[in-house]
Amino acid sequence: MAETKKFQVVIIGAGGAGLTAAIYTSRAKLSTAIFEKLTPGGQIALTDLVENYPGFPEGILGPDVSQRMEAQAKRYGTEVIYEEVKSIAKQNGGFQITTGSGSYSAAAVILASGASFRMVGVPGERELTGKGVSYCATCDGAFFKEKEIVVVGGGDSAMQEGIFLTRFASKVTVIHRRDSLRASPILKDRAKANEKIEFVWDTVIEKILGEKKVEGVSLRNVKTGETREFRTDGVFIFIGHDPNSALVKEFVEIDESGYVKATDSLQTSVPGVFAAGEIRAGAVKQLVAACGEGCEAALAAQHHIENL
Ligand code: NAP
């Protein structure tokens, strides 16, 4: 086995929370590694336009803000390691982190691996993912020029991404399981005013139809029980997220939904391990809040290291 590489701080997950934590710890001259199994930016990298991050009155593109945060962390010496963390354990008063190809040690760890999109769990969904079923409008929207698509969900993500998808699609039908939207008033109003968007209320998808690609969906009205088939070229699913906490679910305390429990100072049940951003139970799921928590966790980790 290769030699263990030593860092003072290891951050797991390079989304808004993790990258902000890295900017703070590396700028405080703590040797810092941040592990990322996909691309930096987390959910923000998959978002078209971020309109509510202060300082950008015209909005800023999700991938842009992600790349800028990564560059800022690297500027102060953060090492960005594109590997999936496989295990984390206590060792010599600190922690040992292993990936598929290496072993690393840290005096403090910040968990910032966020959350991933939720699946509906119906027949056809898994089989047709990438063949008309998508969870990312920014990634796949352009494949649906002049096509008719459906969006599943009634929250902010469904509205924001549904509006974005009208740039490409000729028609976007939002399928929501209730008769009122969970989304915030501004996005709700914008979606309702968009001529390309139609709503199907009180309805769930029971099956996604198609052999080689999506051809339609089976719908069921939850109030009347009526079922019908609805022709569509694409199914975009935005029904919330689940925490990426499988790695640590036996290492730190988690709540019944799998989110990591942490104190007001973002300390988990294991001293020296902190949680920031969407992985944390009770987190406000907004970029600016994730960044704020990244900062707080970095300062707490710094304090922890100073007192070792
Ligand atoms: P969300 O707020 O949890 O909304 C999920 C939506 O999907 C709800 O309408 C829910 O229906 C529906 N849903 C959940 N499970 C379902 C299932 N199995 N089948 C069918 N429908 C289902 O999730 P989100 O929209 O991804 O937003 C997550 C967080 O990010 C929120 O706090 C949101 O405010 C934030 N966000 C903010 C912005 C912004 O500020 N611009 C943009 C995106 C996201 P019910 O309503 O019936 O529960």
Side-chain angles (χ1 to χ4, degrees):
M1 184 93 177
E3 202 179 303
T4 296
K5 196 161 177 188
K6 287 187 183 164
F7 290 96
Q8 285 165 296
V9 181
V10 155
I11 300 165
I12 302 175
L19 286 170
T20 307
I23 292 166
Y24 273 80
T25 54
S26 53
R27 195 164 174 272
K29 300 207 179 306
L30 296 172
S31 59
T32 300
I34 186 164
F35 288 89
E36 173 57 55
K37 67 174 176 177
L38 296 168
T39 46
Q43 288 180 46
I44 288 305
L46 304 179
T47 303
D48 170 41
L49 190 65
V50 181
E51 284 189 310
N52 48 13
Y53 193 74
F56 298 90
E58 310 303 327
I60 181 164
L61 296 174
D64 273 7
V65 75
S66 313
Q67 282 162 18
R68 283 166 175 261
M69 284 185 188
E70 186 192 18
Q72 198 171 353
K74 281 181 170 169
R75 178 181 167 201
Y76 294 110
T78 294
E79 198 168 316
V80 182
I81 302 174
Y82 290 102
E83 287 176 34
E84 182 174 358
V85 174
K86 300 281 187 203
S87 72
I88 166 167
K90 289 184 190 170
Q91 190 192 50
N92 305 331
F95 304 95
Q96 187 187 36
I97 295 94
T98 53
T99 66
S101 58
S103 171
Y104 305 83
S105 72
V109 172
I110 298 173
L111 307 175
S113 46
S116 296
F117 57 75
R118 191 175 287 153
M119 295 177 77
V120 190
V122 292
E125 184 178 14
R126 214 174 269 283
E127 299 84 331
L128 292 166
T129 293
K131 296 171 186 159
V133 174
S134 172
Y135 304 83
C136 176
T138 315
C139 319
D140 300 326
F143 297 125
F144 294 87
K145 279 204 183 91
E146 297 308 318
K147 307 260 187 205
E148 297 194 359
I149 60 173
V150 302
V151 159
V152 186
D156 280 335
S157 299
M159 294 311 110
Q160 182 162 358
E161 304 308 314
I163 293 164
F164 171 73
L165 286 164
T166 60
R167 290 190 201 182
F168 311 102
S170 55
K171 187 174 149 204
V172 173
T173 304
V174 174
I175 294 168
H176 183 38
R177 64 183 178 183
R178 291 188 294 131
D179 62 2
S180 67
L181 297 169
R182 178 180 294 278
S184 53
I186 187 167
L187 288 172
K188 205 185 316 198
D189 291 350
R190 248 190 241 169
K192 286 187 170 171
N194 191 309
E195 286 179 353
K196 283 188 175 179
I197 299 184
E198 283 181 15
F199 291 86
V200 175
W201 304 108
D202 298 316
T203 296
V204 292
I205 285 192
E206 289 200 311
K207 192 173 179 188
I208 300 176
L209 310 168
E211 285 294 322
K212 295 197 171 122
K213 61 181 182 57
V214 168
E215 286 164 15
V217 283
S218 287
L219 300 179
R220 180 172 55 86
N221 183 304
V222 293
K223 285 195 174 151
T224 63
E226 182 206 337
T227 57
R228 64 179 165 127
E229 287 191 1
F230 186 89
R231 206 207 69 74
T232 189
D233 300 306
V235 181
F236 282 80
I237 297 166
F238 305 109
I239 59 166
H241 299 92
D242 292 314
N244 296 323
S245 58
L247 170 74
V248 294
K249 68 181 196 302
E250 261 130 45
F251 185 62
V252 295
E253 260 181 54
I254 55 171
D255 73 6
E256 61 287 349
S257 305
Y259 289 92
V260 174
K261 290 186 183 177
T263 64
D264 286 350
S265 52
L266 305 186
Q267 162 82 63
T268 68
S269 56
V270 176
V273 179
F274 303 88
E278 214 178 315
I279 194 172
R280 184 183 70 79
V284 177
K285 296 170 172 60
Q286 296 290 321
L287 175 60
V288 67
C291 294
E293 290 194 13
C295 161
E296 276 185 75
L299 297 178
Q302 186 180 341
H303 187 69
H304 174 80
I305 290 168
E306 283 163 1
N307 288 296
L308 281 177

